[in-house]
Amino acid sequence: MNSLVQDARKAAERVGLKSDTIVINGGRPLRGTIDVRGAKNLVTKAMVASLLGDTTSTLRDVPDISDVHVVASLLEIHGVKISGSAATGVLQLDPANVASAKSAEIDALSGSSRIPILFCGPLLHRLGHAFIPDLGGCRIGDRPIDFHLDALRAFGAVVDKLPSGINITAPNGLRGANIELPYPSVGATEQVLLTGVRALGTTELKNAAIEPEIMDLIAVLQKMGAIISVEPNRTIFIEGVETLNGFNHRALFDRNEAASWASAALATGGSIFTTGAKQSEMMTFLNVFRKIGGAFDIEEEGIRFYHPGGELKPVVIETDVHPGFMTDWQQPLIVALTQAQGTSIVHETVYENRFGFTDALIKMGAKIEVHKEGLADPNRRVPRRPLEQAAVISGPTKLHGTDLEVPDLRGGFSHLIAALVADGRSTVSNVGLIARGYGDFVGKLEKLGADFAFAA
Ligand code: EPU
């Protein structure tokens, strides 16, 4: 069994899926209401932040996704006592007895998550050392950790690369630092926040990521007692404090999940009300959704996304850091673009390998050309990054059911949408990978009237 299948099975087991394969009969519009809970990319980080407190933290609106289970297990092996459950959406995290974990245990869990790197700062403060095994996460590029390690060194940490992983110590404690990121990396910004809040003195971080999930993490840290100011031009100042307390926080909604279901509504010609979704964090997505010909109603409780009838229009998109168009939004939306009249272009500028999922769409009948070296375009708003690629999507094309093997989280959701749009039957395997980031997606498909069943 290859490691992808293994990861998918483990993820499926964590959230209690009956099987790792589902069979979908496509061609039905998805219609109905679903709940969008807290953002995977905030919740997992807020859980790590609980390590920094002297008292118990409470996190609400936690999604029941495999990545939350992985981080909970990683915290537990480091001595954090967890009560509540992802199923009910509330977790209490008690860090009174934080202790070192065995590297084999960390290794066993982290195969499917990049989160262990964010344990470094808090563990250095609490224990004076940290260990990171080989890092997993989605197979969407090299995903290096050089910015993280450079930031930790700037705080005074000593980094030893060993065959089994990376050993990090802080023999002289951690001191505030002046750090400028080469790129506004989400993870590296979180690393600096989680380390700087208890370092001695002031930290200045330039070229920081300012994604809404980062702002919500700053809100969590402020509740704990941290002093962090976000200045103009992507600069963040952190004044280190000696102690932090636990927090009580309701997580920001998952804008990636909301955008994914919105894309499913558009591609299938349906209508989905996403309870909990909010306009302000989704403005860039909403603009593109409207330009393609999708419609939405913004209500107090959430956002309804629907296909209002008529033809969908092509669009040119560049993925970017916030407030640009998120890289995580492009995969589900590309399925809708296969149904638009004309040629769309998606420039991927964040990761170097995020169009792998299109092979399966092509097999289903989509016309998509991937340009691995990127595409010149006189109207580009941002300078080119060397890693860029572009996908050119010509539509509309009929999609036909087939056998699909989910390659990663977001690509997997787009396979799911493609199977729901396609004529006939599709067998989708490795759906556990979708459960890494989409809470109760099977229950939601049922609620929305999809015609599917678990494979025997
Ligand atoms: N990068 C480096 N060196 C580093 C760190 C990043 O070169 O040390 C590069 C990456 O290779 C990439 C770019 O910087 O080209 C951006 O990476 P970033 O660090 O911003 O991404 P991340 O923190 O690893 C998070 C989310 C991703 C989301 C990105 C961008 C989590 C757990 N993951 O990743 O989410 O796409 O930010 O917003 O928060 C997903 O949810 O499916 C997902 C992949």
Side-chain angles (χ1 to χ4, degrees):
M1 201 191 304
N2 68 36
S3 67
L4 192 70
V5 175
Q6 254 171 2
D7 275 3
R9 294 222 171 135
K10 277 193 206 159
E13 273 166 33
R14 284 190 193 103
V15 297
L17 289 187
K18 272 191 245 164
S19 135
D20 195 32
T21 302
I22 57 179
V23 179
I24 296 180
N25 288 311
R28 272 200 203 177
L30 295 188
R31 289 186 196 285
T33 298
I34 51 153
D35 278 338
V36 175
R37 283 203 202 162
K40 163 176 94 68
N41 293 347
L42 172 274
V43 166
T44 47
K45 324 299 171 63
M47 290 170 73
V48 177
S50 73
L51 280 171
L52 289 161
D54 287 343
T55 53
T56 300
S57 291
T58 302
L59 189 57
R60 288 172 286 124
D61 250 358
V62 174
D64 194 1
I65 56 175
S66 163
D67 275 17
V68 163
H69 289 267
V70 170
V71 178
S73 301
L74 280 167
L75 286 167
E76 279 172 339
I77 62 170
H78 284 95
V80 176
K81 203 168 149 241
I82 302 186
S83 46
S85 69
T88 60
V90 182
L91 291 179
Q92 275 98 22
L93 307 119
D94 174 1
N97 297 309
V98 170
S100 300
K102 295 194 182 77
S103 56
E105 284 181 316
I106 306 176
D107 222 0
L109 284 165
S110 56
S112 53
S113 170
R114 274 171 65 79
I115 299 288
I117 183 85
L118 294 179
F119 278 58
C120 290
L123 289 181
L124 287 174
H125 286 302
R126 301 278 318 226
L127 307 171
H129 57 90
F131 171 79
I132 329 161
D134 251 359
L135 291 174
C138 281
R139 288 151 184 81
I140 54 177
D142 282 347
R143 304 192 75 182
I145 55 167
D146 49 338
F147 304 165
H148 294 254
L149 298 181
D150 287 348
L152 288 164
R153 286 191 192 99
F155 282 111
V158 176
V159 176
D160 279 323
K161 293 193 180 169
L162 309 170
S164 55
I166 301 173
N167 206 35
I168 304 179
T169 50
N172 302 312
L174 296 170
R175 292 197 154 65
N178 290 329
I179 298 168
E180 179 162 1
L181 295 177
Y183 179 81
S185 150
V186 168
T189 300
E190 292 160 343
Q191 181 74 259
V192 172
L193 288 168
L194 291 167
T195 309
V197 282
R198 277 192 54 191
L200 191 67
T202 302
T203 294
E204 181 185 16
L205 175 63
K206 288 190 181 151
N207 207 22
I210 50 165
E211 266 60 11
E213 293 78 13
I214 300 262
M215 294 301 137
D216 211 36
L217 181 62
I218 292 176
V220 166
L221 293 167
Q222 188 177 53
K223 284 177 175 175
M224 297 177 82
I227 303 172
I228 302 168
S229 59
V230 182
E231 309 281 327
N233 302 325
R234 297 189 173 274
T235 300
I236 296 179
F237 282 102
I238 308 164
E239 289 177 41
V241 294
E242 270 176 33
T243 56
L244 294 168
N245 287 313
F247 61 82
N248 184 341
H249 191 73
R250 178 175 171 176
L252 172 77
F253 79 99
D254 197 318
R255 63 202 174 109
N256 291 339
E257 186 185 9
S260 299
W261 288 112
S263 303
L266 192 60
T268 63
S271 171
I272 302 181
F273 188 81
T274 51
T275 309
K278 295 200 172 65
Q279 179 182 16
S280 52
E281 287 80 9
M282 295 199 72
M283 283 187 164
T284 308
F285 179 83
L286 293 171
N287 286 336
V288 171
F289 196 77
R290 177 172 278 161
K291 281 204 249 179
I292 298 174
F296 52 86
D297 300 331
I298 293 160
E299 296 183 13
E300 197 71 10
E301 303 294 315
I303 306 179
R304 175 176 301 98
F305 295 95
Y306 57 100
H307 191 314
E311 274 174 4
L312 297 184
K313 297 181 280 274
V315 75
V316 177
I317 305 169
E318 283 167 43
T319 65
D320 207 343
V321 293
H322 189 74
F325 189 91
M326 279 203 84
T327 167
D328 304 289
W329 292 337
Q330 56 94 345
Q331 299 90 332
L333 199 69
I334 279 180
V335 185
L337 292 177
T338 67
Q339 305 307 301
Q341 183 79 44
T343 303
S344 298
I345 306 177
V346 178
H347 298 279
E348 170 60 47
T349 80
V350 180
Y351 291 115
E352 64 272 62
N353 182 20
R354 228 178 180 183
F355 287 128
F357 73 98
T358 58
D359 290 347
L361 303 190
I362 294 166
K363 190 168 109 183
M364 297 174 85
K367 283 200 192 125
I368 303 175
E369 275 174 27
V370 173
H371 297 259
K372 292 206 165 123
E373 310 298 323
L375 264 185
D377 180 341
N379 303 315
R380 297 296 305 282
R381 190 171 47 77
V382 292
R384 284 170 61 87
R385 283 184 85 202
L387 55 68
E388 280 187 29
Q389 327 102 71
V392 178
I393 305 116
S394 309
T397 45
K398 273 207 172 306
L399 301 183
H400 311 288
T402 188
D403 288 349
L404 295 163
E405 211 174 309
V406 164
D408 61 60
L409 169 63
R410 306 290 168 202
F413 198 89
S414 86
H415 285 183
L416 208 59
I417 304 176
L420 292 161
V421 171
D423 290 340
R425 208 175 134 104
S426 297
T427 302
V428 191
S429 58
N430 290 354
V431 293
L433 295 178
I434 299 174
R436 280 194 47 216
Y438 292 92
D440 190 26
F441 74 93
V442 170
K444 289 174 186 173
L445 285 175
E446 257 165 34
K447 270 190 98 180
L448 296 170
D451 180 357
F452 73 101
F454 279 103

